[in-house]
Amino acid sequence: MNIVKPQTIAGVMELLPDDQLVFDHIKQIIEETFLSYQFLPIDTPAIEKNDILFAKGGGETEKQIFGIDSSKKDMSLRFDLTVPLARYVSEHFSDLNFPFKRYQIGKVYRGERNQKGRYKEFYQCDIDIIGNDSLSIHNDALLPKVIYDIFQKLDFKGIKFHINNRKLLNGFFESIEISDKEEVLRTIDKKAKIGDEKTKELLTELCGEDKALKLMGLINNKRDNKELLKYLESLDLNDNYKLGLRELKEVYDYMIKFGIDDESIMIDLSITRGLDYYTSTVYETFLDGYESIGSVCSGGRYENLAGNFSKQNLPGVGLSIGLTRLFYQLQELGLLEKYREDFTDCLIIPMDEKLNFYAIDIKNDLKNKGYKVDIYLEDGKFKKKINYADKIGVKKVIIIGQEEYENKMVSVKNMEDGNQVSVKIEDIGDYL
Amino acid sequence: MNIVKPQTIAGVMELLPDDQLVFDHIKQIIEETFLSYQFLPIDTPAIEKNDILFAKGGGETEKQIFGIDSSKKDMSLRFDLTVPLARYVSEHFSDLNFPFKRYQIGKVYRGERNQKGRYKEFYQCDIDIIGNDSLSIHNDALLPKVIYDIFQKLDFKGIKFHINNRKLLNGFFESIEISDKEEVLRTIDKKAKIGDEKTKELLTELCGEDKALKLMGLINNKRDNKELLKYLESLDLNDNYKLGLRELKEVYDYMIKFGIDDESIMIDLSITRGLDYYTSTVYETFLDGYESIGSVCSGGRYENLAGNFSKQNLPGVGLSIGLTRLFYQLQELGLLEKYREDFTDCLIIPMDEKLNFYAIDIKNDLKNKGYKVDIYLEDGKFKKKINYADKIGVKKVIIIGQEEYENKMVSVKNMEDGNQVSVKIEDIGDYL
């Protein structure tokens, strides 16, 4: 038979089972936490119509899309979970209750060039809250609390939310008469990558040295949160600025009230989020000591989720964890070991096929008692059987031979130190 | 702005959140049960190279494939989880331990014509056990036990596994000198759909009345399992038949030993499984009283999983639940209500924005005590707030007004009978 080389397409993450267990464990913590805050699950198809996906216009997205080769070529694989959310909320508008809090954990697809840590297929874990016509600002504080809980459970205590407000930034830009706001935002957004000097240089080119200095003064203002808020209040600029500042302060106060540690919040006026999608609150999230991996969770407030699909005004706020990329980065840093749990408490090995039924009785009994117990019933020599136990990394093996069977005993072998003891079947639990 | 009509592509299942919760609940029971038997999770990409997907040759599959419109058109969406499993096991052969017990729950894609209950995207839940060179027959009994546990947990006590063995059938065909075995198998496979009369007619056309009668006698033999096995032993035909019979008996004995009720097993010689993929044990699974929905879980033993990808001989056995279709059918029959659980125990409503912080304190406290508690902090009149509580179907609402706040009290409203009581904050738990 002609042998085809077994390989995945380039640029996808596929894990071996031991790693998959860790991945699933993290995914489960994320999902449980979403549910614990009453976010409802939705599961949209991975394939959407092209007129849905490109409703905003193609642009950069169109280059990255995976098209579906149907005769009509009118559908494609989703590239994020936000467009499907917009379509979902518009399509099912009358069946949903607002504010609509939903989460979705699912795969998205992008035709990225092959590079390390960039994936063509990856999981996103999104939470969004969508209002019908209006949505209170406290929602912008609830989302980080959900993410905060997730990282606490994952034992990353040093999570830090960098928060900002785009209205405040816009107001400030207006106050110093900056004409090309978008380009200034884009430049500030690059600061973490290109450094202070280069940022100042680019801003000077854009709007002159005087304004560049003022901008750098604002975005580099790294005081204690409360002091910074006080300072910003003292500036007393235009209405846009004041509204943004009030929102920023409320989000900060609610974040504290919801139970986020002050240490885990940093009002950071250099956070802009590249997209022109966000209109008010914006967030990036970093892990203390691992700032090099970049933001592990980003998002913000948007004015209208679904203007392309509906005449309803649907303001919303969302945060998203790029799980596949995060997993890759934690793995590279060797930080995943702590999530590994024993998959199997013990493996039962009957020495001979005649003892299989007796071994199954013991397995059923231990399983009923709550043990994670596996049984090896394949034919073969003892060496092959104990090798299997060794390879799967199980710590205790229960060996059943003819003599043990006759005496209602088993041998419990400790795979770590090699010790073996004879135990009455009713006492096995004490030795696991 | 130009409005695009929000709609999914045709032929996919997309659920409203309340139904999605039920779907996820069922999916979770399936996954937990797989794990409780030490099946390891894998998660292969939804996109595979075409030479992988078509390694066996295109045929029927190629017509149903969703191609990916990349410039090279060399990849497609998977149409099942078995081809990816074969690729996975071949690709990662040296990193896996055998027997390799894996499960995968994932979406697969088929270009089906639009009809009710047929989906272009649907979930499959697969478990397979793959051996390296050999695989003991007891594995064929373990898989139904896993599925049995799942349906017990889903409260379908009347599940029935129809089992058969293809070697036994082949041996029987040889003993009566049937030349076109495959066509006979295909005809027998249709029996449940076309009925006895039509089956007999077709078999007579294929191999004459005499042989057709003998075949009908075999496949319509519906005795008690033990009696049927005894009868089949009495026939004492050729080696192929005897081997198949021995396997069938062993699978039956192990199924009983693993804890499946005899009532839930039916040795059924008319089960063939259409594909020429299966070589020995085959299963179909029906729910008592709901036979009309067809088999809810099917599979069997195959000789070599990955002949196209590897020179290793990899025998295996697998069972698969088509979850999306099953969900659709249970929904149509109105059988899903029993899986609905309260998503939220209570909703907290502060009457005024000034009371939000106090309300959040109460929420945090109740959440810490383990209640599923939500809070409604949007602005608006009381009527709007209580309407929201009504729409989400929550049974208890905690109302906080100025007076309650001053007296460290809350009002607990029972949404079912409309009663409302004043309660001290430390006693709220007693009223939920």
Side-chain angles (χ1 to χ4, degrees), chain B residues 142-203:
Chain B
L142 180 65
L143 294 191
K145 173 61 163 98
V146 179
I147 304 295
Y148 180 79
D149 280 12
I150 288 168
F151 281 91
Q152 298 299 305
K153 287 182 200 165
L154 289 174
D155 210 28
F156 281 100
K157 309 290 183 201
I159 187 174
K160 196 160 243 166
F161 295 96
H162 292 231
I163 59 167
N164 195 5
N165 187 294
R166 291 276 289 263
K167 285 177 196 153
L168 182 152
L169 279 186
N170 276 332
F172 187 85
F173 294 172
E174 284 156 20
S175 80
I176 60 169
E177 291 175 344
I178 281 174
S179 49
D180 192 354
K181 284 190 228 170
E182 219 171 272
E183 200 49 46
V184 168
L185 273 180
R186 224 182 295 274
T187 307
I188 293 174
D189 188 44
K190 285 189 219 142
K191 189 175 85 92
K193 261 194 201 156
I194 62 177
D196 276 12
E197 271 315 301
K198 186 74 188 156
T199 308
K200 198 176 131 190
E201 203 182 305
L202 289 174
L203 289 175

Side-chain angles (χ1 to χ4, degrees), chain A residues 1-9 12-17 20-21 24 31 35-49 51-52 55 66-69 73 75 77-78 87-88 90-92 95-101 103 107 109 121 123 134-136 138-139 149 250 253-254 257-258 307-311 343-344 353 356-357 360-361 363-364 367 372-374 376-379 388 391-392, chain B residues 1-9 12-17 20-21 24 31 35-49 51-52 55 66-69 73 75 77-78 87-88 90-92 95-101 103 107 109 121 123 134-136 138-139 149 250 253-254 257-258 307-311 343-344 353 356-357 360-361 363-364 367 372-374 376-379 384 388 391-392:
Chain A
M1 198 180 277
N2 191 25
I3 300 289
V4 176
K5 191 177 175 200
Q7 54 185 10
T8 63
I9 66 167
V12 293
M13 178 184 279
E14 178 170 88
L15 301 171
L16 286 169
Q20 189 68 50
L21 283 167
D24 290 358
E31 180 155 25
L35 283 165
S36 80
Y37 281 89
Q38 273 70 44
F39 282 73
L40 288 159
I42 74 171
D43 183 15
T44 64
I47 304 172
E48 295 268 1
K49 293 183 168 219
D51 62 356
I52 300 286
F66 272 126
I68 299 292
D69 187 17
K73 302 195 193 221
M75 39 187 167
L77 287 163
R78 64 185 176 207
R87 195 263 310 141
Y88 185 95
S90 313
E91 186 172 351
H92 304 296
D95 290 314
L96 302 175
N97 302 311
F98 294 89
F100 177 50
K101 303 197 290 181
Y103 75 87
K107 288 176 171 180
Y109 299 87
E121 176 191 77
Y123 276 97
S134 69
L135 185 70
S136 291
H138 75 270
N139 293 287
D149 281 12
E250 275 196 48
D253 287 344
Y254 270 108
K257 190 67 200 174
F258 280 131
N308 298 301
F309 306 129
S310 162
K311 285 178 183 166
F343 183 62
T344 308
E353 212 186 328
N356 280 0
F357 274 27
I360 292 170
D361 282 338
K363 176 194 144 99
N364 288 345
K367 192 166 191 288
K372 293 182 276 186
V373 48
D374 202 359
Y376 186 92
L377 295 174
E378 299 303 300
D379 294 337
Y388 175 79
K391 278 203 252 169
I392 66 169
Chain B
M1 197 180 278
N2 190 26
I3 301 286
V4 176
K5 190 177 178 200
Q7 54 185 11
T8 64
I9 65 168
V12 292
M13 176 184 280
E14 179 170 88
L15 302 171
L16 287 169
Q20 190 67 50
L21 283 168
D24 290 358
E31 180 155 25
L35 283 166
S36 80
Y37 282 91
Q38 273 70 44
F39 281 74
L40 287 159
I42 74 170
D43 183 14
T44 64
I47 304 172
E48 295 268 0
K49 294 183 167 219
D51 62 356
I52 299 286
F66 272 128
I68 298 292
D69 187 18
K73 303 197 190 221
M75 39 188 167
L77 288 163
R78 64 186 176 205
R87 195 264 310 142
Y88 185 95
S90 313
E91 186 173 350
H92 305 294
D95 290 313
L96 302 175
N97 302 310
F98 294 89
F100 177 51
K101 302 197 291 182
Y103 76 87
K107 288 175 170 180
Y109 299 87
E121 176 191 76
Y123 277 97
S134 70
L135 184 71
S136 292
H138 75 271
N139 293 287
D149 280 12
E250 275 195 47
D253 287 343
Y254 270 107
K257 190 65 200 174
F258 280 129
N308 299 301
F309 306 130
S310 162
K311 286 179 181 166
F343 183 60
T344 307
E353 212 186 329
N356 280 0
F357 275 27
I360 292 170
D361 282 338
K363 178 193 142 96
N364 289 344
K367 191 165 192 286
K372 293 182 276 184
V373 48
D374 203 358
Y376 186 90
L377 295 174
E378 299 302 302
D379 294 340
K384 178 181 158 194
Y388 175 79
K391 277 202 251 168
I392 65 168

Side-chain angles (χ1 to χ4, degrees), chain A residues 144 147 159-164 189 192 255 264-266 268 270-275 278 281-287 294-300 319-320:
Chain A
I147 303 295
I159 187 176
K160 196 159 243 165
F161 294 96
H162 291 233
I163 60 166
N164 195 6
D189 189 43
M255 280 173 83
S264 295
I265 307 172
M266 180 176 176
D268 179 349
S270 72
I271 294 293
T272 68
R273 305 284 300 129
L275 298 147
Y278 297 107
T281 308
V282 283
Y283 338 71
E284 305 267 13
T285 314
F286 298 90
L287 301 180
S295 176
V296 297
C297 179
S298 319
L319 269 174
S320 175

Side-chain angles (χ1 to χ4, degrees), chain B residues 387-399:
Chain B
N387 265 348
Y388 175 79
D390 198 40
K391 277 202 251 168
I392 65 168
V394 70
K395 286 178 187 150
K396 298 286 172 69
V397 174
I398 295 174
I399 300 165

Side-chain angles (χ1 to χ4, degrees), chain A residues 196-419:
Chain A
D196 276 12
E197 271 315 300
K198 186 77 187 156
T199 309
K200 200 177 128 188
E201 202 182 304
L202 290 174
L203 289 175
T204 305
E205 271 173 45
L206 274 172
C207 45
E209 197 181 354
D210 184 41
K211 291 177 185 175
L213 276 174
K214 283 181 183 158
L215 286 168
M216 289 304 290
L218 183 82
I219 65 180
N220 269 344
N221 208 327
K222 305 270 141 101
R223 311 184 193 203
D224 162 74
N225 294 319
K226 286 198 182 71
E227 278 182 26
L228 181 52
L229 286 170
K230 223 177 277 175
Y231 165 75
L232 292 172
E233 262 162 37
S234 74
L235 293 187
D236 194 28
L237 305 176
N238 51 42
D239 283 357
N240 222 352
Y241 174 88
K242 281 187 207 159
L243 176 58
L245 177 57
R246 193 165 70 232
E247 286 184 357
L248 185 61
K249 189 174 176 317
E250 275 196 48
V251 172
Y252 171 74
D253 287 344
Y254 270 108
M255 280 173 83
I256 296 286
K257 190 67 200 174
F258 280 131
I260 301 180
D261 203 278
D262 192 35
E263 289 284 297
S264 295
I265 307 172
M266 180 176 176
I267 296 177
D268 179 349
L269 303 173
S270 72
I271 294 293
T272 68
R273 305 284 300 129
L275 298 147
D276 58 350
Y277 184 56
Y278 297 107
T279 48
S280 151
T281 308
V282 283
Y283 338 71
E284 305 267 13
T285 314
F286 298 90
L287 301 180
D288 273 1
Y290 307 104
E291 287 79 2
S292 65
I293 68 179
S295 176
V296 297
C297 179
S298 319
R301 159 82 70 147
Y302 36 88
E303 215 126 68
N304 191 1
L305 174 71
N308 298 301
F309 306 129
S310 162
K311 285 178 183 166
Q312 308 290 340
N313 183 39
L314 302 167
V317 57
L319 269 174
S320 175
I321 301 174
L323 181 56
T324 301
R325 190 172 164 75
L326 176 63
F327 183 89
Y328 169 80
Q329 289 164 324
L330 297 179
Q331 197 174 41
E332 288 281 293
L333 290 167
L335 296 174
L336 293 177
E337 290 312 312
K338 61 183 167 186
Y339 306 124
R340 296 191 191 279
E341 285 170 14
D342 280 347
F343 183 62
T344 308
D345 295 326
C346 69
L347 177 74
I348 301 176
I349 299 181
M351 300 285 280
D352 188 282
E353 212 186 328
K354 289 197 299 281
L355 302 165
N356 280 0
F357 274 27
Y358 178 63
I360 292 170
D361 282 338
I362 292 173
K363 176 194 144 99
N364 288 345
D365 183 49
L366 287 173
K367 192 166 191 288
N368 287 340
K369 286 181 179 148
Y371 292 99
K372 293 182 276 186
V373 48
D374 202 359
I375 187 166
Y376 186 92
L377 295 174
E378 299 303 300
D379 294 337
K381 297 201 171 129
F382 181 66
K383 201 183 153 194
K384 177 182 159 193
K385 295 176 181 179
I386 205 82
N387 264 346
Y388 175 79
D390 198 39
K391 278 203 252 169
I392 66 169
V394 70
K395 286 178 188 152
K396 299 286 173 70
V397 173
I398 295 174
I399 300 164
I400 298 166
Q402 185 62 29
E403 204 184 308
E404 278 97 343
Y405 167 62
E406 280 160 18
N407 298 318
K408 302 223 162 210
M409 310 278 286
V410 301
S411 294
V412 179
K413 187 180 174 78
N414 184 326
M415 294 295 282
E416 293 178 305
D417 60 18
N419 284 339

